Amino acid sequence: MSARIATAHEMIARYNAQDADAYVELMTDDACEAGYRGAVLREGREGVRSGLKAMFAQFPQNRADILTSYELGETVLLHEKVSRAPDGEQFEVMSIYTFSGDKVNRVEFIR
């Protein structure tokens, strides 16, 4: 497994632990999360941190499972299955992680 794929997988592990503080440690200060080719959902490390904390409060059993991982250049693509709760909403998402050096500076979601 490459270093970038390992970082993206570690982000998902931290996401599943609902540890927003640890999650953003793997991001650049100016990182963001956005819809694919769309609006920024969470801007900057602090925006990502606070957005995740709010989501984790709303969905305390939220979990993402990685189905497939790909890497090309400075980009990692994860195909994930997300469930809000064991009996709750489930959906699949493609997450595109763009790197700057060894940290993620943008995550885009296709859903």
Side-chain angles (χ1 to χ4, degrees):
M1 179 182 305
S2 75
R4 287 193 172 118
I5 288 178
T7 297
H9 280 228
E10 180 61 24
M11 288 181 79
I12 295 300
R14 294 174 183 196
Y15 174 92
N16 286 338
Q18 296 203 352
D19 190 343
D21 296 322
Y23 179 92
V24 300
E25 287 175 0
L26 299 172
M27 302 180 92
T28 61
D29 289 337
D30 63 345
C32 70
E33 292 186 334
Y36 179 64
R37 298 177 61 167
V40 171
L41 307 169
R42 301 177 187 114
E43 191 158 0
R45 250 173 131 171
E46 293 310 311
V48 172
R49 181 192 327 267
S50 63
L52 286 179
K53 285 185 176 189
M55 187 189 65
F56 295 153
Q58 183 178 3
F59 301 106
Q61 294 180 304
N62 192 76
R63 177 171 181 78
D65 293 306
I66 300 166
L67 303 176
T68 311
S69 307
Y70 301 96
E71 178 181 13
L72 183 61
E74 297 195 357
T75 304
V76 169
L77 176 79
L78 298 183
H79 179 192
E80 305 166 29
K81 185 172 185 177
V82 179
S83 63
R84 296 295 190 201
D87 296 326
E89 176 190 9
Q90 294 189 7
F91 57 90
E92 291 185 23
V93 64
M94 299 293 272
S95 301
I96 304 165
Y97 296 76
T98 305
F99 283 77
S100 178
D102 62 349
K103 297 212 176 205
V104 172
N105 70 346
R106 186 174 181 93
V107 182
E108 289 184 89
F109 304 103
I110 302 170
R111 181 176 170 194

